[in-house]
Amino acid sequence: MGCCNRRCGLIAGAVVGALVAILGGILFPVGDIIIQGTVETEAVIEPGTTAYENWVAAGAKVYRQFWLFDVMNPLEVLEYGATPAVVERGPYTYMTRYLARDNITFHLNHTVTFLLPNGAIFEPSMSVGTEDDKITSLNLAVAGAYSAIPTELHSIVETLIKTTNSSLFQRRTVKELLFGYTDPILRGDVGFFLDYNQTYDGPYDVFTGKDDISKVGKIDMWKGSSLGFWNDEYCDKLNGTDASSFPPFVNKKEPLFFFSSDICRSVSASYESTMNLKGIDVYRYSLHPSTLASPLDNPDNKCFCSNMKTTKNCTLAGVLDISTCQQGRPVYISLPHFLHGSPSLRTDVIGLNPHEEHHKTFLDVEPTTGFTLNFAKRIQVNMMYGPSKVITVLKKVKDYTIFPLVWLNETATLDDETAEMFKKELISRIQMLEIIQQVLLGVGIGVFILCLLGYCIVRRSHNKNEFA
């Protein structure tokens, strides 16, 4: 009777172990469903969700670091046609994007409209000097007039340059160059980022994800419509989000798309590696070198090439002519120091030294939520000027030159407090559920095997006693 009880107990133990193991196994898909449902609910952009609370506020501090290019040989360029030589000065750092989204309006089609306020507060402790430091840079009015006014009327430009005692280069303070000064030729204000303060980017219309979480954060319209700068359906497409977040459950095998108003187009980033950011695993995405490749290497970029002369029949790589969205001003966007650009860009101007690690753009995205927890957007602003038989300050210029003015590094990362909250509210719960799953599965299998072995041993011992 005792042997029978032992065998029955072991069988019961094996059954319990199997049930516990099955429960642990069931928790894997059930747990995934619970996690997915919770994340999808909290990722919707609507009042009361975690995503909305982070989205509506100013969030992490965003900084813009500026490096301006200081011309070392302006007289040699003017008098002898020497190649311009530059040295970068910086960083001059400003806190930007410190204001919360404004004019938030929800619509019945599951979109929300908002404005992004612009602002810049100088941060002396993060800068190499003051805003009053002086830089020798390209004269924006001369370069702009050269491109905007037809060649037949360049005599007017020559007259304006002489009567205002202007030249191809000028010496201005950092603050003037960045945010504006009154130009004697144009009799108006000009600057690299003129009227940045107290202005808005947008309005943006983005999907809330209420009806389809795969669309959350994706831009439906910008300034009330799609883009119209490139006269092409592909290039004018608003693709992706504003890069502050992406739909949850990011697949690293697929690129992430986002729109940047700074360059008037959408771009994509590809998975590079998995990194640890303050105890949180994130996927690092970076722009592919083909983003600004010439149409010869990337045919998709053909519609971004509009000026055959200055782009050398669309063979020039590494720059994007955005004059169509800059009121005709000859502005070209590139990566800093013409990273991934044609070699001629760096021989036309001496002193440039591109470095992949320092000059690339990247995003660190938490894959479960799709939130961007760290990023560095790096772009360079350039202007073009060229030879002229009429304009004295351009007579020694040999060819069209895309001249670097300034490059910026816009960065933000989650602070320690937010990182701890993120780990507590999301990651720790996921990890706890995974631990429970593994413990139940492991204990269940262990109990099942031990009881089964015990049953076999007891039964063998019983059989031996019967034969004895």
Side-chain angles (χ1 to χ4, degrees):
M1 186 69 179
C3 182
C4 181
N5 287 338
R6 285 199 299 273
R7 281 185 291 174
C8 291
L10 290 169
I11 292 173
V15 171
V16 171
L19 291 174
V20 171
I22 291 170
L23 178 60
I26 291 174
L27 276 181
F28 278 103
V30 171
D32 290 342
I33 292 171
I34 294 172
I35 293 170
Q36 182 174 342
T38 301
V39 170
E40 289 182 354
T41 299
E42 292 299 318
V44 174
I45 302 174
E46 67 175 0
T49 66
T50 302
Y52 181 80
E53 292 174 4
N54 290 302
W55 176 85
V56 71
K61 291 181 180 179
V62 179
Y63 293 96
R64 275 193 175 189
Q65 298 174 295
F66 296 98
W67 283 265
L68 292 85
F69 291 97
D70 197 2
V71 184
M72 297 289 97
N73 59 343
L75 293 180
E76 289 83 350
V77 175
L78 292 171
E79 296 179 5
Y80 308 110
T83 302
V86 298
V87 173
E88 67 172 29
R89 308 291 188 193
Y92 295 91
T93 304
Y94 294 79
M95 183 171 68
T96 60
R97 297 287 185 231
Y98 53 88
L99 299 170
R101 284 174 167 82
D102 200 3
N103 282 18
I104 298 173
T105 306
F106 286 88
H107 306 289
L108 295 176
N109 65 342
H110 302 297
T111 63
V112 57
T113 303
F114 62 92
L115 293 169
L116 282 176
N118 293 322
I121 299 175
F122 185 61
E123 296 284 350
S125 63
M126 302 171 67
S127 305
V128 297
T130 73
E131 293 181 292
D132 295 325
D133 290 352
K134 288 200 169 182
I135 303 289
T136 300
S137 186
L138 185 68
N139 191 317
L140 305 184
V142 172
Y146 171 81
S147 297
I149 297 176
T151 305
E152 298 79 15
L153 300 178
H154 273 185
S155 57
I156 298 176
V157 180
E158 170 70 0
T159 301
L160 288 171
I161 291 174
K162 286 187 174 181
T163 55
T164 57
N165 196 29
S166 300
S167 186
L168 180 60
F169 301 103
Q170 61 177 340
R171 194 159 178 80
R172 296 277 182 181
T173 66
V174 169
K175 186 175 182 179
E176 287 177 322
L177 290 171
L178 289 177
F179 301 114
Y181 59 91
T182 301
D183 183 83
I185 293 178
L186 300 178
R187 297 181 182 179
D189 293 338
V190 295
F192 301 160
F193 303 96
L194 182 65
D195 294 330
Y196 184 80
N197 278 298
Q198 298 180 345
T199 60
Y200 292 89
D201 180 17
Y204 285 84
D205 283 74
V206 305
F207 292 100
T208 64
K210 182 70 174 178
D211 62 328
D212 183 355
I213 198 61
S214 68
K215 295 165 61 176
V216 65
K218 291 186 177 180
I219 300 171
D220 183 37
M221 291 188 293
W222 180 64
K223 293 187 174 181
S225 65
S226 59
L227 302 181
F229 304 125
W230 311 106
N231 295 317
D232 181 89
E233 183 179 356
Y234 173 80
C235 285
D236 279 326
K237 186 177 182 181
L238 278 166
N239 202 0
T241 71
D242 64 359
S244 62
S245 66
F246 298 89
F249 308 108
V250 175
N251 183 352
K252 62 185 178 183
K253 295 181 180 180
E254 298 177 357
L256 296 178
F257 293 89
F258 58 94
F259 167 73
S260 173
S261 60
D262 290 320
I263 62 175
C264 308
R265 62 164 288 190
S266 300
V267 296
S268 65
S270 300
Y271 171 82
E272 184 178 298
S273 62
T274 299
M275 307 186 69
N276 187 280
L277 176 66
K278 299 185 177 181
I280 302 169
D281 285 340
V282 293
Y283 290 171
R284 172 156 292 186
Y285 284 78
S286 59
L287 292 185
H288 196 274
S290 65
T291 302
L292 295 177
S294 76
L296 291 179
D297 297 317
N298 183 3
D300 288 340
N301 284 342
K302 184 177 181 180
C303 45
F304 292 118
C305 181
S306 56
N307 191 320
M308 301 294 286
K309 187 177 292 185
T310 58
T311 60
K312 306 182 188 304
N313 294 322
C314 293
T315 62
L316 195 66
V319 293
L320 175 68
D321 180 358
I322 62 170
S323 58
T324 54
C325 67
Q326 292 291 322
Q327 293 78 50
R329 293 189 290 268
V331 178
Y332 289 75
I333 294 296
S334 69
L335 293 177
H337 288 243
F338 296 122
L339 177 68
H340 303 314
S342 296
S344 63
L345 293 168
R346 295 185 294 277
T347 57
D348 290 346
V349 179
I350 298 172
L352 302 176
N353 184 29
H355 191 284
E356 182 76 25
E357 191 61 29
H358 295 155
H359 298 144
K360 71 177 180 180
T361 289
F362 68 83
L363 309 164
D364 290 339
V365 181
E366 198 286 312
T368 302
T369 61
F371 293 164
T372 300
L373 303 184
N374 179 47
F375 74 88
K377 181 175 73 175
R378 294 155 175 167
I379 59 175
Q380 181 172 295
V381 180
N382 316 275
M383 284 190 77
M384 186 274 296
Y385 64 85
S388 174
K389 296 179 181 180
V390 178
I391 303 173
T392 302
V393 297
L394 295 173
K395 285 184 177 179
K396 298 293 184 178
V397 174
K398 300 178 178 64
D399 199 359
Y400 294 100
T401 302
I402 296 179
F403 192 87
L405 303 173
V406 59
W407 75 269
L408 66 89
N409 178 27
E410 183 174 278
T411 61
T413 188
L414 80 168
D415 54 35
D416 293 339
E417 183 180 350
T418 305
E420 289 303 315
M421 182 274 292
F422 197 90
K423 287 186 285 187
K424 179 181 178 182
E425 295 297 325
L426 176 67
I427 296 177
S428 62
R429 295 183 182 183
I430 294 175
Q431 290 175 340
M432 181 61 68
L433 184 59
E434 289 175 347
I435 290 171
I436 293 173
Q437 293 169 343
Q438 292 167 359
V439 168
L440 287 175
L441 188 61
V443 170
I445 292 174
V447 169
F448 176 79
I449 292 174
L450 287 174
C451 289
L452 192 62
L453 288 174
Y455 174 80
C456 292
I457 293 171
V458 170
R459 184 169 181 175
R460 182 180 297 175
S461 175
H462 175 70
N463 289 339
K464 287 182 178 179
N465 291 334
E466 285 184 348
F467 286 112

